[in-house]
């Protein structure tokens, strides 16, 4: 029997894609009592949902251009503040018009807001400037809106764990490479397990061009099948490529394009509420405060899906210069890093809408059985993070219809508790493994002694991450990139420069478990792993190297080369011009 | 160019050194040797808190190199931080177990670990950043050592501490007596089959020399401290002991916590620098402000964007060199920030960007350490910092002496 024939797992529904949309659907279907599997090629929220702005939109950004999206966001904004309360920082938001912005747009915008049911309260200029002293004195008018900040990683992890507690299985590093079909349509997917770190997984598997099979698996990568009567494609910006695996008819029913946006993180709370510029949506016109940092975004430009998005210095410059108009002292704030995400942008069908940011919003829900092509396949894509629940509910209704079940969705009523780790006794698969459910904590190789006392020790000083907590998650098969998204390891002031050697020591001592695809790392291998974690962080610093960040980059080079004895010349600290 | 004149008072020295990192302290010591009055003005103790304590790189086999090393070793010994007198370069391992070398090494760290050496790496379970097990593992694989490791608890008094706090504990004699007893009990067997026992560099901020010697007596094996991750006790020791020694001569005043923000330049000479409250006047100046890493050169966003746009052509680039202090010309390679530094002539005099593009040399200022940029060829090693800081200090002193003689006659 070839390894291809191994059925790894079976369920009522298989979801492809572990972003907000896929995880939202996992939660929705779990609440409806269905047996669900989620397959994600990299890690949790490794796609757009881990590289977004963290804004729970009031929707008013779209009030002047796309009222349907504005209305959807406004409704979900109110709903999520209730059911996802622990993950929402209700900072409030403000739209500000600068002296040289078009006053005509302000009127059109106000009309749009009223039309979707919101009357933005005018914010007196002087009280705004005293509440937000870093804002520009060039502001001539301002309005308060119910924008908020949302902790995407925390929310999505909690949903994964809550779903797992209800019996759902989540496979990371599990890339879908094709659909299994029979006369009745789609009945499952083929999966290749990607070994190594998340970075390596992503690099070895860039999204492939439409219509071609995926890249050849690395030697040792596990093959398998996951079967279910209904398969949902929730691969966000890559939804078209995924649909193409089921044929060109399926692909043409998914008019999704990839629109890159760049964001800049500043190591200061520059504003205490979400600040938007009141003008037609453009670059660098939203500031979102998140705890001690502020994120400025964003830009827009269509890209091809087979490259990992990265922030170029040109884009950073553009966003920065635009941001300076709202916050004139921006040059004095310490930039932490820049990052890029790709929006799943819907090409407006039929109406000839132009691509890019002004294209159609709303989201796409396709029953491929109806659209022609593949019965049993559903695609849900587009939308916003803010509307993930509504998207999941709509997709959940469709899935139930296809399965002939009549169970109503409950995500609008059931509150989402914040979980810090997954509940004991639940099944959780760190990776696809032939014939099994993956590794669980209890199977951990404990031949290496744990340090006697972990209590009170920190894995990351900048973010005050508890070491014992970090270790317990590594035991469950999570990787360093997961720790970052879950616990913010390496996301503080030092950006992983000083904590990565510490992590190396801890990982070694604690006996970081190996896996079926990856032998338990030896000392140099662990150092390589933590160095690659640090390099991924440094890559994000490359295009923000001024002020404190230039200084950190210089210190990091000295630290790696001198203190640690690593050769950093070829590494990430080499200058941008040497790329 | 000069700061607003808000200063309430002025201090007058022969030589003012701006910066109190490795370069600043060495330059001040060398300037003070000729009996001059020296003022150190610095924001903080610089990179010393991050420094592993090793002097990486090679000392050039020249007369100047030998003189600088002789001075450095003599001064450090007198300050209470004796260096190893082993000639040549020592083979050590880093805080993650990779092989590193050191040309000048504090005596308590001076091991020369040849491949095949039997080494016992000891860790303390209370010390957060000292992965003894990993060090032993990587050192075995990458440096070819025959390594074992043991982990020792320091007891409840240690709490869970960062290195400097634990070092303070080692300075407590009574506590150390107890430690010695348990070290003998738990380590003696393993230590006797090793040629070197490697400890974290936390054996005291003051009494490390005595403590290491007592451990050696008690274990009957050579005991050495390994370089560690920041916060670094060897760097703290250096900063404390050298500053103490500088001040104890009565000729050097150390002003820490002072950021230089203004200056006055007349006829290509710097008259004073100022922190906004006090003016520091001097005949000659040493600028040892650490470049981009030390905070002496600030990279503005415009400079960065200009740089990343004009790949390969950095002419006319304006970073903000110690602006608004002296407005010096800088140069460097792309965004490899360690390479960025103040442009100097052979003697270390910087150039001030002049009107109409004509740069003027500042005759009474010398640049030392990372402020002069790190050459891509040698890397950011302390060996070169040391040499040029010694030279800058002596040249500044020579100028000040000449000026004094001129003035006296
Ligand atoms: C710059 C930027 C800023 C944004 N800011 C906001 C904001 O502030 N507020 C807001 O509400 N929205 C925002 N958005 C939009 C929002 O982030 C996205 O709409 C949302 O995250 C999309 O989620 P998703 O789950 O559909 O896609 P993704 O999060 O991209 O998830 C798709 C997943 O599918 C996986 N995948 C792909 N192919 C395969 C395969 N073959 N096998 C297995 N897995 C596969 C990918 O690895 C990925 O994890 C922003 C978007 C961008 C680009
Ligand atoms: C992490 C790290 C590890 C290292 N490890 C090693 C090693 O293992 N081996 C080795 O050989 N070398 C090592 N070094 C290098 C060495 O320790 C020295 O840092 C280096 O040679 C530069 O020293 P410096 O005195 O020029 O700069 P710094 O130490 O940075 O000193 C700069 C000084 O200038 C002050 N300053 C800056 N701007 C102003 C201003 N406007 N006003 C007043 N004061 C100001 C600062 O406060 C500081 O006192 C390491 C360095 C770092 C950063």
């Amino acid at each position: 029997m070839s390894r291809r024939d191994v059925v790894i797992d079976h369920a009522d529904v298989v979801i492809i894609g572990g972003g907000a949309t896929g995880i939202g659907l996992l939660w929705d279907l779990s609440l409806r009592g269905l047996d669900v599997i989620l397959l994600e090629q990299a890690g949790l929220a490794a796609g757009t949902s881990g590289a977004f702005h963290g804004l729970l939109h009031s929707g008013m950004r779209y009030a002047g251009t796309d009222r349907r999206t504005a209305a959807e966001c406004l409704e979900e904004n109110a709903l999520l503040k209730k059911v996802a309360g622990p993950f929402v920082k209700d900072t409030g938001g403000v739209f500000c018009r600068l002296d040289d912005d078009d006053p005509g747009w302000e009127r059109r915008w106000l009309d749009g807001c009223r039309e979707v049911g919101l009357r933005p309260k005018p914010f007196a200029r002087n009280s705004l400037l005293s509440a937000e002293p870093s804002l520009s004195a060039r502001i001539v008018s301002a309005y308060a809106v119910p924008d908020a900040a949302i902790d995407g990683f925390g929310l999505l992890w909690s949903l994964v764990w809550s779903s797992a507690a209800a019996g759902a299985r989540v496979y990371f590093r599990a890339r879908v490479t094709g659909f299994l079909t029979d006369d009745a349509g789609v009945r499952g997917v083929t999966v290749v397990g990607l070994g190594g770190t998340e970075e390596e997984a992503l690099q070895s598997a860039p999204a492939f061009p439409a219509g071609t099979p995926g890249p050849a698996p690395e030697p040792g990568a596990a093959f398998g099948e996951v079967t279910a009567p209904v398969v949902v494609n929730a691969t966000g910006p890559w939804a078209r490529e995924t649909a193409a695996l089921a044929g060109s008819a399926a692909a043409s029913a998914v008019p999704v394009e990839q629109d890159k946006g760049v964001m800049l993180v500043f190591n200061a709370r520059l504003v205490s509420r979400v600040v938007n510029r009141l003008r037609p949506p453009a670059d660098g016109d939203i500031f979102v405060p998140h705890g001690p940092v502020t994120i400025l975004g964003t830009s827009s430009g269509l890209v091809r899906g087979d490259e990992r998005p990265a922030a170029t210095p040109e884009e950073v410059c553009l966003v920065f210069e635009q941001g300076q108009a709202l916050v004139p002292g921006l040059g004095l704030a310490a930039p932490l890093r820049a990052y890029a995400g790709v929006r799943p942008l819907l090409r407006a069908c039929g109406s000839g809408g132009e691509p890019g940011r002004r294209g159609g919003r709303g989201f796409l829900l396709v029953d491929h059985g109806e659209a022609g092509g593949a019965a049993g396949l559903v695609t849900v894509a587009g939308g916003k993070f803010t509307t993930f629940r509504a998207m999941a509910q709509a997709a959940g209704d469709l899935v139930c219809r296809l399965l002939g079940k009549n169970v109503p969705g409950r995500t609008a009523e059931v509150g989402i508790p914040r979980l810090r780790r997954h509940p004991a006794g639940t099944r959780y698969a760190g990776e696809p493994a032939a014939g099994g459910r993956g590794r669980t904590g209890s199977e951990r190789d404990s031949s290496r002694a744990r340090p006697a006392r972990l209590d009170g020790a920190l894995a990351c000083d900048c973010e005050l991450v508890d070491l014992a907590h970090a270790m317990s998650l590594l035991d469950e098969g999570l990787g360093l990139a997961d720790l970052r998204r879950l616990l913010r390891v390496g996301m503080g002031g030092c950006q992983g420069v000083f904590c990565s050697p510490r992590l190396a020591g801890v990982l070694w001592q604690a006996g970081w478990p190996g896996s079926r695809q990856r032998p338990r790392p030896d000392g140099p291998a662990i150092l390589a792993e933590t160095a690659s974690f640090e390099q991924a962080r440094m890559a994000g610093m490359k295009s923000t190297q001024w002020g404190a960040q230039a200084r950190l980059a210089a210190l990091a080079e000295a630290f790696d080369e001198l203190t640690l004895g690593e050769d950093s010349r070829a590494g990430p600290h080499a200058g941008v011009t040497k790329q | 160019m000069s700061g607003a004149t808000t200063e309430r008072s002025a201090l007058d020295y022969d030589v003012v050194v701006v910066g109190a990192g490795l370069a600043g302290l060495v330059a001040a010591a060398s300037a003070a040797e000729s009996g001059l009055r020296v003022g150190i003005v610095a924001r903080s103790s610089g990179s010393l808190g991050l420094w592993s304590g090793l002097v990486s790189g090679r000392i050039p086999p020249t007369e100047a190199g030998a003189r600088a090393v002789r001075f450095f070793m003599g001064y450090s010994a007198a300050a209470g931080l004796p260096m190893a007198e082993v000639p040549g370069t020592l083979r050590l391992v880093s805080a993650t177990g990779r092989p590193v070398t050191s040309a000048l090494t504090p005596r308590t760290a001076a091991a020369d670990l040849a491949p095949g050496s039997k080494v016992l790496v000891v860790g303390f379970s209370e010390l957060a950043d000292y992965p003894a097990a990993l060090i032993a593992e990587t050192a075995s694989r990458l440096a070819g050592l025959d390594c074992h490791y043991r982990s020792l608890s320091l007891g409840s008094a240690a709490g869970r501490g960062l290195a400097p706090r634990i070092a303070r504990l080692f300075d407590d004699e009574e506590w150390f007596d107890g430690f010695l007893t348990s070290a003998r009990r738990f380590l003696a067997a393993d230590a006797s089959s090793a040629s070197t026992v490697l400890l974290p560099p936390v054996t005291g901020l003051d009494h490390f020399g005595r403590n290491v010697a007592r451990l050696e007596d008690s274990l009957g094996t050579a005991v050495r401290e390994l370089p560690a991750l920041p916060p670094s006790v060897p760097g703290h020791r250096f900063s404390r002991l050298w500053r103490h020694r500088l001040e104890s001569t009565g000729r050097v005043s150390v002003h820490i916590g002072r950021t230089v923000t203004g200056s006055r330049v007349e006829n290509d000479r710097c008259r004073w620098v100022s922190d906004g409250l006090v003016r520091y006047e001097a005949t000659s100046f040493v600028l040892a402000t650490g470049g981009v890493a030390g905070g002496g050169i600030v990279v503005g966003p415009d400079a960065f964007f200009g740089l990343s746009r004009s790949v390969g052509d950095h002419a006319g680039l304006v970073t903000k060199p110690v602006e608004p202090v002296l407005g010096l010309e800088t140069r460097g390679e792309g965004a490899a920030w360690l390479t960025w530094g103040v442009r100097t002539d052979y003697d270390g005099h910087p150039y001030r960007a002049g009107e109409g593009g004509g740069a003027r040399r500042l005759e009474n200022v010398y640049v030392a350490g990372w402020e002069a940029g790190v050459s891509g060829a040698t890397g950011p090693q302390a060996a070169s910092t040391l040499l040029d800081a010694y030279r800058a200090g002596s040249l500044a002193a020579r100028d000040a002496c000449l000026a004094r003689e001129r003035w006296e006659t």
Side-chain angles (χ1 to χ4, degrees):
Chain A
M1 184 174 73
S2 84
R3 298 201 68 187
R4 252 181 192 289
D5 300 328
V6 174
V7 174
I8 297 172
D9 207 344
H10 174 85
D12 296 338
V13 185
V14 167
I15 301 166
I16 315 169
T21 309
I23 291 172
L25 183 58
L26 181 79
W27 171 234
D28 179 279
L29 295 176
S30 297
L31 282 180
R32 296 186 206 230
L34 270 64
D35 187 26
V36 202
I37 290 170
L38 186 143
L39 303 171
E40 161 59 48
Q41 66 181 1
L44 175 131
T48 316
S49 305
F52 78 126
H53 208 147
L55 168 59
L56 183 64
H57 278 289
S58 60
M60 296 312 111
R61 179 168 170 80
Y62 310 110
T65 49
D66 175 357
R67 294 187 185 158
R68 190 176 43 164
T69 296
E72 275 167 14
C73 285
L74 184 62
E75 191 178 337
E76 286 300 304
N77 174 290
L79 208 155
L80 287 180
K81 281 178 182 168
K82 273 187 241 134
V83 296
F87 309 95
V88 177
K89 258 273 176 302
D90 201 355
T91 57
V94 63
F95 274 78
C96 314
R97 185 168 66 80
L98 297 181
D99 51 10
D100 55 0
D101 292 334
D102 172 19
W105 176 261
E106 181 174 334
R107 288 187 293 276
R108 186 169 156 198
W109 180 79
L110 282 170
D111 290 344
C113 294
R114 281 186 204 113
E115 204 171 297
V116 299
L118 190 84
R119 281 180 186 280
K121 243 205 270 110
F123 209 134
R125 180 178 176 276
N126 287 346
S127 52
L128 176 64
L129 291 182
S130 61
E132 301 288 356
S134 47
L135 290 186
S136 167
R138 285 175 44 216
I139 290 173
V140 286
S141 58
Y143 298 89
V145 296
D147 282 339
I150 185 160
D151 166 14
F153 290 139
L155 172 63
L156 296 183
W157 274 115
S158 293
L159 289 179
V160 162
W161 285 331
S162 295
S163 307
R169 271 96 64 210
V170 175
Y171 293 82
F172 291 138
R173 321 272 194 282
R175 178 178 170 78
V176 169
T177 53
F179 292 101
L180 303 165
T181 49
D182 59 17
D183 298 343
V186 169
R187 58 167 188 84
V189 293
T190 54
V191 180
V192 52
L194 302 171
T197 65
E198 182 175 318
E199 279 301 311
E200 287 161 2
L202 284 174
Q203 260 144 32
S204 67
F208 38 86
T212 61
E218 291 174 295
F223 261 100
E225 298 175 355
V226 177
T227 56
V230 175
V231 176
V232 182
N233 166 19
T235 50
W238 302 280
R240 187 185 165 83
E241 280 77 358
T242 306
L245 297 174
S248 55
S252 60
V254 183
V256 172
E257 288 179 313
Q258 290 131 353
D259 178 34
K260 179 166 83 158
V262 163
M263 271 140 309
L264 258 82
V265 190
F266 291 90
N267 196 11
R269 201 171 165 92
L270 299 170
V271 290
S272 63
R273 71 200 74 211
V274 177
V275 176
N276 303 264
R277 183 138 168 212
L278 182 42
R279 65 172 179 185
D283 299 318
D285 50 10
I286 311 180
F287 286 83
V288 182
H290 285 279
V293 307
T294 306
I295 304 179
L296 163 64
T298 171
S299 60
S300 172
L302 292 181
V303 290
R304 283 168 32 147
D306 53 359
E307 283 163 29
R308 290 205 69 195
T312 66
E314 287 74 16
E315 290 163 324
V316 171
C317 180
L318 178 74
V319 170
F320 178 83
E321 280 170 356
Q322 293 293 312
Q324 258 180 330
L326 274 173
V327 175
L330 202 57
L332 300 176
L336 271 180
R337 57 188 288 105
Y339 62 94
V342 268
R343 298 178 188 85
L345 193 71
L346 300 186
R347 211 179 316 123
C349 301
S351 63
E354 39 169 334
R357 193 187 275 109
R358 289 160 300 278
R361 292 282 170 182
F363 62 88
L364 180 79
L365 181 61
V366 184
D367 173 357
H368 288 277
E370 230 165 51
L377 177 63
V378 168
T379 292
V380 56
K384 312 244 73 196
F385 195 104
T386 303
T387 59
F388 86 98
R389 193 213 59 86
M391 293 167 72
Q393 174 155 334
D397 289 346
L398 173 56
V399 166
C400 284
R401 212 165 56 238
L402 293 177
L403 288 171
K405 301 203 175 182
N406 184 16
V407 226
R410 293 168 55 213
T411 51
E413 295 110 56
V414 181
I416 306 166
R418 183 184 275 277
L419 301 183
R420 305 226 170 248
R421 48 169 306 146
H422 89 91
T426 56
R427 289 174 297 171
Y428 172 86
E431 57 200 0
R437 286 272 151 80
R439 185 165 23 75
T440 63
S442 58
E443 290 165 30
R444 168 174 64 86
D445 183 329
S446 53
S447 61
R448 247 178 253 146
R450 266 291 139 86
R453 274 181 268 164
L454 289 178
D455 10 310
L458 298 178
C460 167
D461 279 343
C462 303
E463 292 289 331
L464 300 178
V465 176
D466 181 60
L467 182 53
H469 187 185
M471 283 315 308
S472 71
L473 294 168
L474 290 173
D475 282 351
E476 285 163 15
L478 303 192
L480 293 183
D482 299 316
L483 284 195
R484 170 178 80 78
R485 284 188 293 255
L486 186 54
L487 302 179
R488 299 185 54 81
V489 169
M491 287 178 85
C494 93
Q495 291 285 298
V497 171
F498 296 110
C499 58
S500 63
R502 167 188 299 183
L503 277 172
V506 169
L507 292 173
W508 170 254
Q509 194 146 2
W512 193 7
S515 65
R516 287 185 179 81
Q517 287 132 37
R518 173 167 146 280
R520 196 175 60 187
D522 63 10
I526 282 190
L527 288 179
E529 191 122 9
T530 48
S532 108
F533 171 71
E534 184 201 335
Q535 284 178 15
R537 306 302 297 149
M538 298 299 293
M541 283 170 50
K542 246 186 187 159
S543 36
T544 56
Q545 288 193 0
W546 65 88
Q549 211 59 0
R551 188 169 178 193
L552 178 61
L555 286 172
E557 185 178 339
F559 180 68
D560 288 351
E561 191 167 325
L562 296 168
T563 306
L564 301 184
E566 283 168 7
D567 181 10
S568 64
R569 290 306 161 83
H573 318 314
V576 280
T577 56
K578 293 188 198 156
Q579 265 176 16
Chain B
M1 206 40 83
S2 58
T5 46
T6 55
E7 301 87 6
R8 308 234 175 87
S9 61
L11 293 168
D12 186 21
Y13 296 101
D14 294 309
V15 176
V16 158
V17 176
V18 187
L22 186 60
L25 295 184
V26 170
S30 107
E33 277 304 278
S34 35
L36 299 175
R37 289 166 307 118
V38 177
I40 298 180
V41 187
R43 180 165 44 219
S44 72
S45 52
S47 307
L48 288 173
L50 303 171
W51 181 35
S52 66
L54 307 184
V55 176
S56 314
R58 227 171 47 88
I59 309 282
T62 57
E63 176 53 30
R67 208 174 326 120
V69 166
R70 217 162 34 244
F71 172 78
F72 179 79
M73 290 181 48
Y75 204 92
S76 207
L81 186 65
M83 298 283 138
E85 278 163 62
V86 192
T89 297
L90 298 183
R91 288 162 293 185
L92 294 161
V93 293
S94 78
T96 50
R98 292 184 195 275
V100 292
T101 61
S102 179
L104 282 169
T105 317
R107 200 178 278 165
T108 53
D112 190 24
L113 306 171
S117 308
K118 281 180 169 302
V119 170
L120 177 67
V121 182
V122 175
F124 299 140
S125 41
E126 288 77 8
L127 180 61
D129 284 328
Y130 194 81
L134 178 70
I135 293 171
E137 153 83 7
T138 20
S140 304
R141 286 170 193 269
L142 301 181
L145 303 182
D146 180 4
C147 272
H148 295 268
Y149 82 94
R150 285 297 298 265
S151 187
L152 210 60
S153 169
L154 296 177
S156 56
R160 276 210 67 87
L162 287 176
R165 213 185 106 197
I166 291 183
R168 268 272 156 259
L169 197 61
F170 273 82
D171 282 335
D172 177 336
E173 203 161 337
E174 209 175 302
W175 181 89
F176 184 73
D177 286 339
F179 171 78
L180 209 54
T181 314
S182 58
R184 198 180 307 120
R185 174 136 52 99
F186 292 112
L187 297 180
D190 290 325
S192 65
S193 58
S195 59
T196 310
V197 174
L198 293 175
L199 290 185
V202 295
T203 61
L205 280 175
D206 296 319
H207 303 310
F208 48 96
R210 188 193 68 195
N211 289 348
V212 166
R214 287 185 65 193
L215 269 162
E216 291 192 325
D217 282 349
S218 152
L219 297 176
T221 314
V223 173
R224 295 292 182 270
E225 294 182 316
L226 217 71
L229 300 176
S232 139
V233 170
H236 279 256
R237 286 176 191 154
F238 186 90
S239 178
R240 275 163 52 85
L241 295 170
W242 273 63
R243 267 158 64 182
H244 184 75
R245 164 89 181 138
L246 284 164
E247 288 182 303
S248 69
T249 60
R251 295 191 298 272
V252 182
S253 314
V254 185
H255 309 274
I256 298 258
R258 304 297 185 148
T259 300
V260 169
T261 51
S263 69
R264 164 67 50 87
V265 175
E266 284 165 12
N267 303 326
D268 298 331
R269 298 181 69 83
C270 179
R271 296 293 163 198
W272 45 260
V273 295
S274 144
D275 59 18
L277 294 174
V278 181
R279 267 184 203 174
Y280 304 88
E281 298 167 358
T283 312
S284 46
F285 293 82
V286 175
L287 200 60
T289 38
V292 176
I297 295 178
V298 177
V299 182
D302 299 345
F304 173 70
F305 291 132
L307 209 146
S308 43
R309 279 190 192 129
S310 60
V311 175
D313 171 22
H314 310 122
L317 176 79
V318 277
T319 52
K320 294 206 167 142
V322 283
E323 198 90 89
V325 186
L326 289 164
L328 303 177
E329 270 195 10
T330 53
R331 56 162 184 208
E333 293 164 28
W337 298 121
L338 274 181
T339 65
W340 278 86
V342 168
R343 182 165 81 95
T344 64
D345 69 2
Y346 177 77
D347 280 339
H349 294 295
Y351 292 90
R352 199 150 174 261
E355 267 119 66
R360 310 275 306 183
R361 208 167 54 169
L362 276 184
E363 300 297 345
N364 67 335
V365 179
Y366 296 89
V367 181
W370 282 0
E371 184 69 12
V374 169
S375 118
T378 58
Q381 298 154 337
S384 50
T385 298
L386 232 155
L387 257 60
D388 61 52
Y390 173 71
R391 198 166 85 113
S394 3
L395 290 177
R398 185 202 58 190
D399 290 359
C401 287
L402 288 176
R404 218 186 222 186
E405 277 165 24
R406 259 201 307 276
W407 186 68
E408 276 161 4
T409 55

